[in-house]
Amino acid sequence: MSSAILTPEEHVLPTLEGDGSRRWLTPTVSAGGYWRRRRVVGYGLIALFVALPFVSINGKPAVLLDIVARRFVLFGATFLPTDTLLLALLMLCVFLGVFLATALFGRVWCGWGCPQTVYMEFVYRPIERFFDQTGGRGGKPSKKLAGWRRAARYATYLVVSFALANVFLAYFVGVERLATWMQTSPVANPSSFAVMAVMTGLMMFDFCFFREQLCLVACPYGRFQSVLLDRVSLIVGYDARRGDPRGKKSKKRAADLPVLGDCVDCRACVRTCPTGIDIRDGLQLECIHCTQCVDACDAIMTRLGRPTGLIRYASQAELDGETGRFLRPRTVLYPTALVLVASVLATLVVTQKSFDVTLLRNFGHPYIVADDGTVKNSVRVKIQNRADSAGSYGFAFTDAEGTPIDGLSIEDGSDGLTVPPVGLETTALLVAVEPRLFTRPWLDVRLTVEADDGDRRTIPYRLLGPMGAAARPVGHENSSPLSEEG
């Protein structure tokens, strides 16, 4: 009795047989309307993926994720490690966009835009069907595959994976550097060659072996759908009210005619599913909303002269005969938050200067008083040049109104600073202040840093010193905070 309880009726999981062995999926192709639209979108995304590293915007790559140089270029905008706020806002926009798309259209990303689905269904599976001689119909081969066909199939997989790995690498190193590496020996660039080889191996493992298990086991998106979806979100679903009870109608069983639903239990929706599920079992985390079951069922319904849409895009509320509301809290809050965050991000990017400035106190004493009574502060200035060309920067201290301060001068560092393209340099300014300016133990000033291209930044700073007549010489005449090592 215990063995009967533990024995599954069919398979345990979509890719796991009852005996624990791997269930290899060879889905059939249902070339309906959704399939044709997905194919156009899929090949368009592949073309975009391949072409994007070669596109330049404002003299910069459209996308460059240079991790080694810690520089990220996205559609003409350069992000540096100091842009924590910008990067956080960008990621927040991405997440809010995913939340909004899921609340409105379900897992449209998984079925229509995810690279795993796009490359699996429109690159690797067509190659597999070509060598398996299953043409455009898909499914299991009708006869055992010859050894040379199997070898040729994996050789083609290797070539495609190698090409995609190089395109992927171009996003991180740029097409110019990648072209140079490809023309030299792997020995000259062992690390880059190792990255490319590892990426090729990972793609071979994923698309040749792991396949749909990435969606079923590794990707967390399916598990998130329980909180990202609601009953009014658009999903791919089976209309059980119309289709059940399932079964084939027969003239010999006239009594069954008013009982059976429109589903003839042909299992076409199951055979065409790339993740191996039965959509008639309801909403499942394995469903990627690829609409292959919709095309398969519509073809059967058309052949039988019945209305299409037994499996269709709908909401759970609609499938249960309820009325849904388009306007609901999440469809109002998500776009509102997305617009606000995107507006802040766009404003910060548009108003961004060509360089960043950070002011720090130098090591050692906060200030010194020279023998002549002059109060001297040492200020460290760090300049991050964001431009792709070298920049020269000059310094000037003013009061809150922008007026030069009489009795304040820059003794060391007044010649300015030159910073290489997308570089970071630090200099020290020795600021001499007459003691009469210190009516309090500090003096609030503003440091204006002006680039040679006319761009400027003004940063408030507080100089420290004694108060008025209390200033007394401290230390030796040749004492300078610039000499402190810290």
Side-chain angles (χ1 to χ4, degrees):
M1 181 178 296
S2 60
S3 61
I5 295 176
L6 296 176
T7 301
E9 297 180 0
E10 197 176 6
H11 45 266
V12 180
L13 296 173
T15 57
L16 186 65
E17 299 288 2
D19 59 359
S21 60
R22 169 77 178 272
R23 178 181 176 232
W24 290 92
L25 300 180
T26 53
T28 58
V29 178
S30 299
Y34 282 115
W35 168 260
R36 289 190 290 271
R37 297 186 191 101
R38 286 180 59 231
R39 186 165 55 180
V40 171
V41 172
Y43 286 128
L45 290 174
I46 292 173
L48 180 64
F49 170 76
V50 175
L52 208 53
F54 297 90
V55 177
S56 296
I57 300 177
N58 298 329
K60 303 177 183 179
V63 178
L64 178 62
L65 309 175
D66 194 341
I67 298 176
V68 177
R70 298 182 297 173
R71 181 175 61 144
F72 309 96
V73 180
L74 298 175
F75 303 104
T78 301
F79 297 89
L80 301 173
T82 54
D83 296 325
T84 307
L85 176 61
L86 296 180
L87 293 173
L89 291 175
L90 179 62
M91 293 304 300
L92 188 57
C93 285
V94 172
F95 285 122
L96 287 173
V98 172
F99 294 166
L100 177 59
T102 305
L104 295 176
F105 309 113
R107 295 179 65 176
V108 63
W109 164 254
C110 293
W112 293 72
C114 177
Q116 173 71 17
T117 302
V118 169
Y119 284 103
M120 188 74 249
E121 299 303 321
F122 301 112
V123 176
Y124 285 86
R125 286 206 195 277
I127 294 173
E128 180 181 54
R129 295 181 187 117
F130 173 80
F131 288 104
D132 288 359
Q133 295 181 296
T134 56
R137 59 179 175 83
K140 293 183 179 180
S142 56
K143 56 183 178 180
K144 186 177 180 180
L145 191 65
W148 73 268
R149 284 186 173 275
R150 189 182 300 273
R153 183 178 70 185
Y154 282 103
T156 306
Y157 283 161
L158 182 61
V159 172
V160 173
S161 299
F162 175 79
L164 292 177
N166 279 277
V167 174
F168 181 79
L169 191 60
Y171 280 86
F172 295 89
V173 300
V175 291
E176 294 83 2
R177 192 186 306 177
L178 179 63
T180 302
W181 289 351
M182 294 179 67
Q183 296 172 15
T184 58
S185 170
V187 179
N189 300 285
S191 58
S192 58
F193 179 79
V195 172
M196 184 275 300
V198 169
M199 285 303 306
T200 303
L202 289 176
M203 288 187 180
M204 286 290 291
F205 171 77
D206 180 24
F207 294 110
C208 300
F209 175 77
F210 206 52
R211 297 194 154 201
E212 65 282 336
Q213 292 189 114
L214 181 68
C215 304
L216 307 183
V217 179
C219 181
Y221 193 84
R223 289 154 181 82
F224 288 161
Q225 71 176 356
S226 60
V227 294
L228 296 179
L229 296 177
D230 57 25
R231 290 185 56 78
V232 192
S233 300
L234 204 61
I235 63 171
V236 174
Y238 165 73
D239 191 348
R241 295 186 304 143
R242 171 186 159 187
D244 290 346
R246 310 166 194 168
K248 297 180 180 180
K249 297 180 181 180
S250 172
K251 294 181 180 180
K252 296 181 180 180
R253 296 183 296 162
D256 293 338
L257 289 178
V259 178
L260 297 178
D262 279 350
C263 179
V264 296
D265 204 18
C266 63
R267 296 182 63 83
C269 57
V270 179
R271 291 193 298 270
T272 197
C273 180
T275 57
I277 67 170
D278 190 340
I279 191 65
R280 299 172 297 177
D281 292 338
L283 182 62
Q284 301 157 68
L285 66 86
E286 296 90 353
C287 179
I288 60 173
H289 294 185
C290 67
T291 66
Q292 274 289 272
C293 55
V294 177
D295 286 333
C297 186
D298 283 351
I300 298 297
M301 292 295 105
T302 301
R303 191 181 310 165
L304 297 177
R306 300 175 186 174
T308 59
L310 180 59
I311 301 176
R312 63 183 185 274
Y313 267 123
S315 66
Q316 288 180 290
E318 179 186 343
L319 294 174
D320 291 340
E322 304 171 7
T323 57
R325 296 177 297 109
F326 176 81
L327 290 178
R328 50 198 193 277
R330 66 182 63 200
T331 59
V332 174
L333 294 177
Y334 287 159
T336 302
L338 180 59
V339 169
L340 291 175
V341 175
S343 300
V344 173
L345 176 61
T347 302
L348 292 176
V349 171
V350 170
T351 59
Q352 195 175 50
K353 302 291 185 179
S354 62
F355 63 95
D356 296 326
V357 180
T358 303
L359 298 184
L360 300 170
R361 300 194 185 280
N362 215 338
F363 306 114
H365 298 294
Y367 69 90
I368 63 170
V369 180
D371 290 341
D372 60 357
T374 303
V375 180
K376 297 184 178 182
N377 280 241
S378 182
V379 183
R380 275 192 301 159
V381 182
K382 298 176 66 174
I383 297 181
Q384 172 71 67
N385 183 11
R386 309 180 67 91
D388 293 326
S389 58
S392 297
Y393 305 91
F395 309 105
F397 282 96
T398 64
D399 58 18
E401 287 73 28
T403 305
I405 302 175
D406 183 29
L408 184 151
S409 62
I410 302 176
E411 292 189 350
D412 292 337
S414 58
D415 295 336
L417 178 67
T418 300
V419 184
V422 198
L424 176 65
E425 293 290 339
T426 302
T427 189
L429 304 180
L430 184 60
V431 184
V433 185
E434 295 181 4
R436 61 181 175 80
L437 298 178
F438 285 97
T439 58
R440 292 176 293 183
W442 65 82
L443 175 63
D444 290 328
V445 297
R446 291 178 180 271
L447 175 63
T448 299
V449 183
E450 184 171 1
D452 50 6
D453 61 359
D455 202 359
R456 65 173 59 188
R457 295 191 72 120
T458 301
I459 303 95
Y461 189 74
R462 175 166 288 183
L463 299 172
L464 301 179
M467 191 159 46
R472 295 290 183 271
V474 176
H476 302 284
E477 185 175 356
N478 60 353
S479 297
S480 171
L482 293 176
S483 63
E484 297 288 346
E485 295 297 330

